[in-house]
Amino acid sequence: MSKAHFGLIGLGVMGENLVLNAERNGFTSVVYNRTYSKTDAFLKSRAQGKSIIGSTDLVDFVGKLERPRRILMMVKAGSSTDAVINQIAPYLEEGDLLIDGGNSQFLDTERRVSDLESKSFGYIGMGVSGGSKGALEGPSMMPGGTKSSYKHVESLLRKMAAQVEDGPCVTYIGPGGSGHFVKTVHNGIEYGIEQILAEAYDLMKRVGGLNGSQIADVFSSWNETEELSSYLVEITASCLRVKDPNDGQDLVEKIMDKAGQKGTGLWTVVSALELGASVPTIYASLNARVLSSMKSQRVHAESILRGPNRINFDMGKLDNGMSLLKDAVILSTIASYAQGMELMRIASNEYDYKLHMPSIAQIWKGGCIIRSTLLKRIQNAFDSDPQLSNLLVDPWFATQVNSRLNGLAKVVSGAAASGIPVPCFASTLDYINSYRSSRLPQNLVQAMRDCFGSHTYERVDMEGSFHTEWDQ
Ligand code: 6PG
């Protein structure tokens, strides 16, 4: 029997769907899972009649693959990934390629790439986005590692990826852990947009008095616009239309208001803090999840801490798509992308990843969770100016900021006056107002630092480093 083109380790939902995707694209496959019962169940169900065979152990698995072997691991990030690498490494040979398609911490990938490159086989850390449906129908993929290793798997990945008007949603990202770094930032942006849409929903419900279907209609109308047409807006509308079969009420209202996370949003913010990148909208979304998880404390505090009385402030007319609220959503979404792109630019310099920003925008246009029509504008912005310091100053995005800032400010001030939290909207407003201010009050911060710690300061009117005895 001829050997299989492609091997998959880890039959979770993502693994199953990715191997079915590879097989559909003409790559005969062999699968291995730690517990064989899972493999057996897959072969007898979704893989039945397809060119997919199973393996009971890793020696058998490796033996069933053509050389050089192409193996994708879809296992839990962290120690499980290290365990699988240690188990399979002794059986891999010159030129074989091992790919980690999980949501690994990019520094783990960095370490694995350098450890494993001293061996003869190649190692790729690849971000995969699109959830289970994307994995089956065409995800966005972000592979990083040595370029020669990527070449062994390029044709397979290009066929498996989502396709958009200018090509497949996969490209070589860069060396080391760059693929997982870019996926991490993708997820930070994902957290930001999810929270932004949740804030809009909350205001439409609590201030606008709309029910789930009415709010869904607003999101659906936004999804028809260039600025907001996106996967996340689309599924937000879908979620809001679903009713609880028990009583016909909006199902979202029955969901516990605590959001967890698997780590990528946290890693984005930690990286940003370490690298000196400003990502307040993304940070606000992470913090919103943290605060949401303190449910019992919030319930207790509600009976003690009083906020202002609710006011009915202007969010724009319903038949006009709530134009002011829409401004807030558009600018906050733009800020999430701008902050993510900025973080990648800084990281690229720091880690020498040589990230190509237009290509990253291009591969996010299809298949992934943050796909949106805005990404075409982002791609254009970095195409016309590869050194662009911040998306906000690109001419098209600057027009968006200048025409919508007033709307964002009205929504934030109305929400603040009503005591309704809008962390992403408020952070975005401060971010934009700070970014567009040539003079900020940090001159006084510098004076204080110099006063108590002799940290010295620079002056605006002369060169040099200065110290003053401030409290004589
Ligand atoms: C994707 C997603 C996915 C991620 C989940 C869960 O791009 O397909 O980013 O990889 O794991 O969205 O993320 P949280 O549990 O951290 O929200």
Side-chain angles (χ1 to χ4, degrees), residues 210-287:
L210 305 186
N211 64 31
S213 305
Q214 291 168 315
I215 300 171
D217 287 343
V218 175
F219 280 113
S220 294
S221 73
W222 290 353
N223 197 36
E224 300 295 309
T225 63
E226 184 193 353
E227 296 86 349
L228 286 178
S229 173
S230 61
Y231 172 70
L232 283 171
V233 171
E234 181 192 322
I235 63 163
T236 302
S238 304
C239 294
L240 285 160
R241 290 190 202 284
V242 176
K243 307 289 178 206
D244 183 343
N246 295 326
D247 59 9
Q249 303 286 306
D250 295 333
L251 183 58
V252 283
E253 300 309 327
K254 307 283 175 66
I255 299 178
M256 178 61 75
D257 51 332
K258 289 160 72 170
Q261 54 150 328
K262 298 200 189 75
T264 46
L266 172 73
W267 302 335
T268 304
V269 172
V270 169
S271 290
L273 292 173
E274 284 172 354
L275 291 166
S278 176
V279 297
T281 308
I282 295 173
Y283 172 67
S285 68
L286 178 74
N287 190 52

Side-chain angles (χ1 to χ4, degrees), residues 103 129-131 183 186-187 190-191 261-264 289 369:
N103 269 333
S129 177
K183 175 57 171 41
H186 165 286
N187 282 25
E190 173 184 305
Y191 279 39
Q261 54 150 328
K262 298 200 189 75
T264 46
R289 290 195 188 191
I369 303 296

